[in-house]
Amino acid sequence: MKIKDIRVVEITLNPKPKTPPRTQSKARTYRLNRPIDRYRTSKDKHISGANWKRPACIITAEDGTWGFGISLYGGPVSSIITDHFAPQLIGENCMATEKLWDMMVRSSAAFGATGLTSYAISAVDCALWDLKGKILKRPVYELLGGPQKEKIFCYASGFDQEWYMELGFKATKLFTPYGPEQGIEGLRKLEELVANTRELIGDNVELMLDAWTNFDVEYTVRVCETMKPYRLKWMEDYISADDLEGYKTVRQRIPWQTLATGEHWYLPTVFAAAAGQRLVDIFQPDVLWCGGITSAIKICHIAEANGISVITHAGMNYPYGQHLAYAMPAITWGERSEGVSAPGVPLEEMVKLPGTAVIKDGYLVPSDAPGFGLEIDEAWIESVMV
């Protein structure tokens, strides 16, 4: 069956929970550190995406069946899909996901298939897998090989650890509000945050730390050495994604620390290079950024062949990552992020895409409906375009 139409709309996904929070999320207390924080002009303003909405890609087959995929950075990403990919893919076999993914990567050679282009590939590829599942009337995880696990172990990322424990999570991740710019004072504040969190959650809950690429090699080493008493499960995204030599140096200087990264790596090639040098222990691609389901499958196979685990970035936020994790042996855990929920607000009320499975007692089982199980129609799409 051939692709009849590819269109992109820009949407906003803001859940509106009915339950009032008991208290405000502690996330409001912290301003997460970012690489741009070196410059004073960024201190009072978080620079992210120029207020771009999300691009939603809708691919329709000849029989009228359609698939739905999303990503980030709506403005430029929508243009790449509409102006560059759509003219090439319309008329192609919609079931040929490997070929279509390869066409997008190869046709982007002139300007590069990573970065913003990878976000565009991701939206198209996820829509194609959703369409494929709907046509075959099977959930996507069955098309990926079927369930590999009974349920997915999940962790919560944020600052409301007491609430996460109440929800049943047995692992949690903190973001770093302090970086090299704050020097020794920031290091001490970060240690206080981690120490207080460890005391709150106890010894039977795993704790991780995410620096969102804002550290340098020296600061990463100092942080990991300082945090030794608090038994971090892993240190994540500590230096610039492009600094592979830096990753090698960190690996050499703190061989005892479990290291994780990859949300800002795009397409399988960089993961293959990192696997060959054992730069990290855990790959963390984002399905909606790294080139979609097709790319993520390749990354999982690279990881598995090299004895590396995969825990996709924000994988439990949307059904795309849920289905991938359910089927892939390399994926061991799932992350719930993007605010999780404020204390007292049920996770069910924080769903952004209707039909997305919800974590219960720290575990998740994806929807078994066709495709990704999304429960959306044209009326819903129009409602989130405003």
Side-chain angles (χ1 to χ4, degrees):
M1 191 177 301
K2 294 182 178 180
I3 296 172
K4 179 181 179 182
D5 182 61
I6 298 176
R7 67 186 176 103
V8 185
V9 297
E10 295 184 25
I11 64 174
T12 302
L13 298 177
N14 289 324
K16 298 178 174 60
K18 297 179 180 178
T19 304
R22 298 174 194 160
T23 59
Q24 292 296 328
S25 170
K26 290 181 182 178
R28 295 173 178 266
T29 307
Y30 300 101
R31 184 192 182 283
L32 305 187
N33 68 301
R34 294 290 187 263
I36 192 65
D37 284 357
R38 171 176 294 188
Y39 302 100
R40 293 182 183 275
T41 54
S42 72
K43 295 299 182 182
D44 299 319
K45 183 178 180 182
H46 179 53
I47 301 172
S48 177
N51 295 318
W52 288 318
K53 295 182 178 181
R54 285 182 175 270
C57 181
I58 302 157
I59 301 181
T60 306
E62 291 174 301
D63 67 349
T65 307
W66 54 274
F68 185 88
I70 62 172
S71 190
L72 287 181
Y73 308 123
V77 167
S78 296
S79 294
I80 293 171
I81 296 172
T82 301
D83 301 336
H84 189 66
F85 290 147
Q88 299 178 57
L89 302 186
I90 290 174
E92 293 287 335
N93 184 341
C94 65
M95 307 295 278
T97 46
E98 282 284 345
K99 175 187 175 182
L100 299 175
W101 184 87
D102 195 44
M103 285 178 63
M104 289 188 284
V105 172
R106 289 174 178 274
S107 70
S108 306
F111 49 85
T114 61
L116 288 172
T117 308
S118 181
Y119 287 84
I121 293 171
S122 300
V124 174
D125 186 76
C126 286
L128 285 168
W129 278 98
D130 189 41
L131 174 59
K132 193 173 188 178
K134 289 176 179 177
I135 290 173
L136 297 175
K137 297 181 171 53
R138 306 308 305 168
V140 169
Y141 66 74
E142 287 195 1
L143 308 185
L144 302 180
Q148 179 269 332
K149 48 185 73 73
E150 292 184 4
K151 52 188 177 180
I152 305 164
F153 178 86
C154 303
Y155 70 93
S157 296
F159 295 97
D160 298 307
Q161 273 68 34
E162 190 171 10
W163 171 235
Y164 304 155
M165 300 304 102
E166 186 176 336
L167 287 170
F169 288 99
K170 295 296 187 293
T172 184
K173 186 179 75 180
L174 288 168
F175 298 101
T176 55
Y178 316 103
E181 292 76 22
Q182 289 78 39
I184 190 67
E185 181 183 359
L187 184 60
R188 294 296 167 238
K189 287 182 178 179
L190 183 58
E191 181 182 13
E192 181 181 9
L193 174 62
V194 172
N196 290 341
T197 303
R198 171 54 74 192
E199 183 177 3
L200 175 67
I201 65 178
D203 293 331
N204 295 322
V205 174
E206 296 282 17
L207 178 62
M208 297 77 75
L209 192 61
D210 184 348
W212 213 85
T213 73
N214 190 44
F215 291 178
D216 53 30
V217 170
E218 178 199 3
Y219 200 77
T220 300
V221 173
R222 295 186 72 188
V223 166
C224 290
E225 289 178 340
T226 301
M227 302 308 163
K228 260 188 173 182
Y230 314 110
R231 302 174 302 285
L232 293 180
K233 169 71 171 173
W234 69 69
M235 182 73 218
E236 175 177 335
D237 257 15
Y238 31 95
I239 59 176
S240 170
D242 297 328
D243 187 7
L244 295 189
E245 285 299 315
Y247 279 99
K248 184 187 300 184
T249 302
V250 171
R251 173 81 288 167
Q252 292 168 345
R253 291 186 63 179
I254 47 175
W256 46 267
Q257 176 67 64
T258 299
L259 300 172
T261 199
E263 69 179 84
H264 298 291
W265 285 349
Y266 309 106
L267 305 186
T269 307
V270 64
F271 290 92
Q277 300 179 70
R278 297 299 197 277
L279 297 185
V280 296
D281 306 288
I282 301 169
F283 285 160
Q284 298 175 309
D286 189 307
V287 175
L288 303 182
W289 307 356
C290 75
I293 293 290
T294 301
S295 182
I297 294 169
K298 298 176 190 294
I299 293 165
C300 285
H301 290 166
I302 290 168
E304 189 175 11
N306 287 277
I308 296 171
S309 298
V310 177
I311 302 175
T312 54
H313 172 252
M316 299 300 100
N317 296 8
Y318 302 97
Y320 310 101
Q322 294 176 357
H323 281 246
L324 181 78
Y326 201 43
M328 293 289 108
I331 299 180
T332 54
W333 289 9
E335 179 187 24
R336 179 64 173 88
S337 58
E338 290 189 2
V340 188
S341 73
V345 177
L347 289 177
E348 289 83 355
E349 297 183 17
M350 296 300 292
V351 167
K352 293 186 176 181
L353 289 180
T356 302
V358 176
I359 297 166
K360 299 183 185 302
D361 296 322
Y363 290 89
L364 181 141
V365 176
S367 166
D368 61 359
F372 289 109
L374 294 170
E375 298 171 359
I376 62 177
D377 54 21
E378 287 289 346
W380 180 85
I381 293 173
E382 290 182 9
S383 74
V384 294
M385 288 172 59
V386 296

